[in-house]
Amino acid sequence: MTTPIRRHPALLAFACIAALLPGRPVQAEQDGLLTKDGKRLFPIGFYELPKDDAGLKAMAESGVNLVRIRNRADLDRAASVGMQCVLPLSIQAGATDKLRQLVESVQDHPALAVWEGPDEVVWNFTAFSGLHKKMKVHKTPGEWWRQTPEAVAYAEKRAQDLMPKMHEGIALVRKLDKHNRLFWINEALSSDVIYVRQYLDVVDVTGCDIYPVKKDARNVANVGLATERWKQAGRGKPVWMVLQAFAWSELGDYYGVKEVAYPTFAESRFMAYDVIARGAKGILYWGSHYLKSQAFRESIYALTSELSALQPFLVAPDVDGVRASVIEAYDTRALLGVRVTVRKAGDDWLIILVNEDDRPHMAVEVTGLTALNGRRIELLYDKET
């Protein structure tokens, strides 16, 4: 099959549509997917827990199945709309009584699905700009990137103090948790791999946050490259990607961004399918608690609704043997190319093609789909076949 990209839709999703059949059986290993009522689910999450019940219901009805909470009362609220939950834990202090009490207070709750370690923990003692701006650890900005002796020595000392305590804290959580829940730590895009791998063996899921859209910089294809980086850094651990649900101008003066710029629906859609095509096992959205635009919130909810409808495919493995090769009209220098992933659920197929370049190609040749010979492929949410 050869599919020419005539327009510049950075994303094409095709499906042989019949009926969505039940997902695959539960797997024993920690593969980064959720399980609810015996059914496997691709995590579609938000860091924000809406304050009012109407907002929480609207989020749940948009297909969001995972939300970040703080206590048992939050768990009850999320459970009332059928959501599962992520609980952040302060494991940096080790196996403390406070940690034990928190875990024991919630570990039997059916809505609890994921434990979360400290956010961007490695970033915060290496490259975090606040080390210079607020904490006065580094004398000048960018010391970590220059690898000055002072910055390296500080990071080494923090790691020596922190990592054993994190191991102790996670070990306590594992001991108390009767349900073998996932343990996840999110990092920054460029968190140092040396330190990440000092805790990697005791967590189940890794990944990073990446928010590429600003007024004059909209490099959305960077999310796919970030997914690849964390697949490498994680040594095969499942990767969850945290994507943009805010405008940088909404974060205050700290980042110095004044102009309001939200991702368009097309950009948000591209980023979601790009990380899926690159192998991400879950998607979460950060920053929506800062949102001032209801229209942008609705655009994210439209996307999560679309992803939710594709759950049987998102929990299925890639179909082996499918390849995409680009036929170019011009030079091929510094091109990211086109990514493809194919998933099968029952008799139905989903084919995702993602053009990560900022220009169209002459054609894209997809091979390995002989099982679909004689069937019609329909472009999702369009009339093209």
Side-chain angles (χ1 to χ4, degrees):
M1 182 182 79
T2 300
T3 304
I5 300 181
R6 292 181 293 278
R7 298 154 289 167
H8 186 282
L11 170 71
L12 295 177
F14 300 91
C16 288
I17 300 298
L20 294 181
L21 300 181
R24 298 172 65 84
V26 174
Q27 300 175 18
E29 70 272 14
Q30 298 288 30
D31 57 7
L33 300 176
L34 304 176
T35 301
K36 186 173 188 291
D37 299 329
K39 182 180 180 181
R40 304 296 276 161
L41 292 173
F42 181 91
I44 304 171
F46 266 69
Y47 276 70
E48 172 198 20
L49 177 68
K51 294 180 180 179
D52 61 279
D53 291 344
L56 182 61
K57 183 179 179 182
M59 182 180 283
E61 290 177 346
S62 75
V64 177
N65 56 31
L66 189 66
V67 67
R68 196 170 189 250
I69 52 87
R70 290 287 179 180
N71 50 45
R72 195 173 184 93
D74 290 347
L75 283 163
D76 291 339
R77 287 190 65 217
S80 71
V81 293
M83 282 189 184
Q84 293 184 289
C85 301
V86 177
L87 178 65
L89 299 174
S90 297
I91 56 170
Q92 305 94 308
T96 63
D97 288 340
K98 184 177 181 180
L99 177 62
R100 176 186 290 273
Q101 290 168 7
L102 176 56
V103 172
E104 289 180 337
S105 72
V106 297
Q107 72 88 21
D108 64 333
H109 201 293
L112 180 61
V114 183
W115 308 107
E116 180 191 6
D119 189 64
E120 295 185 343
V121 59
V122 169
W123 180 259
N124 282 313
F125 68 78
T126 54
F128 175 48
S129 61
L131 294 172
H132 167 68
K133 291 183 177 181
K134 293 182 178 180
M135 299 173 66
K136 309 300 182 185
V137 172
H138 297 168
K139 297 176 183 177
T140 59
E143 281 195 58
W144 175 253
W145 303 115
R146 297 193 301 275
Q147 290 287 277
T148 64
E150 294 81 4
V152 172
Y154 174 76
E156 290 287 346
K157 179 63 167 62
R158 286 291 293 126
Q160 290 171 9
D161 293 341
L162 184 61
M163 294 302 170
K165 292 178 180 177
M166 289 177 59
H167 279 250
E168 292 172 5
I170 293 173
L172 176 62
V173 176
R174 300 285 196 196
K175 179 180 178 181
L176 298 174
D177 180 14
K178 298 180 178 63
H179 300 282
N180 193 30
R181 295 176 175 90
L182 294 170
F183 205 109
W184 168 52
I185 293 183
N186 171 67
E187 284 287 352
L189 169 63
S190 299
S191 290
D192 194 280
V193 175
I194 288 177
Y195 299 115
V196 169
R197 285 185 172 172
Q198 292 181 20
Y199 68 71
L200 185 65
D201 289 344
V202 294
V203 301
D204 303 303
V205 182
T206 186
C208 78
D209 48 56
I210 178 168
Y211 315 126
V213 174
K214 297 180 181 178
K215 183 69 173 180
D216 298 317
R218 312 184 80 94
N219 300 318
V220 292
N222 286 347
V223 301
L225 298 176
T227 308
E228 289 291 343
R229 181 182 196 272
W230 281 93
K231 284 165 60 181
Q232 288 181 283
R235 288 178 172 155
K237 297 275 184 180
V239 170
W240 289 357
M241 295 300 293
V242 181
L243 303 181
Q244 185 171 352
F246 65 97
W248 281 93
S249 59
E250 295 172 328
L251 303 186
D253 295 334
Y254 182 84
Y255 294 97
V257 178
K258 301 297 183 183
E259 294 181 289
V260 179
Y262 297 105
T264 64
F265 176 75
E267 288 170 331
S268 293
R269 191 171 187 248
F270 172 92
M271 288 188 280
Y273 282 99
D274 196 22
V275 301
I276 291 168
R278 290 280 194 163
K281 296 298 185 181
I283 293 173
L284 290 92
Y285 287 93
W286 184 86
S288 60
H289 44 294
Y290 293 102
L291 267 181
K292 298 178 181 178
S293 170
Q294 183 62 26
F296 177 70
R297 179 182 292 276
E298 292 300 326
S299 78
I300 294 293
Y301 285 176
L303 175 58
T304 56
S305 296
E306 177 178 322
L307 294 175
S308 181
L310 298 175
Q311 277 285 358
F313 301 105
L314 299 184
V315 301
D318 290 327
V319 173
D320 291 334
V322 180
R323 299 288 183 270
S325 57
V326 175
I327 300 173
E328 295 293 357
Y330 305 103
D331 67 88
T332 59
R333 291 175 295 178
L335 295 179
L336 293 172
V338 174
R339 300 287 160 178
V340 62
T341 183
V342 177
R343 311 287 177 87
K344 187 173 183 291
D347 290 331
D348 299 324
W349 294 64
L350 177 71
I351 304 165
I352 301 173
L353 285 170
V354 184
N355 178 15
E356 293 183 329
D357 296 318
D358 59 357
R359 70 181 205 192
H361 300 287
M362 181 178 177
V364 177
E365 184 177 44
V366 180
T367 58
L369 293 176
T370 54
L372 295 182
N373 285 347
R375 298 186 66 178
R376 182 164 64 183
I377 299 173
E378 300 177 358
L379 182 60
L380 288 182
Y381 311 110
D382 207 319
K383 297 179 180 180
E384 186 175 339
T385 60

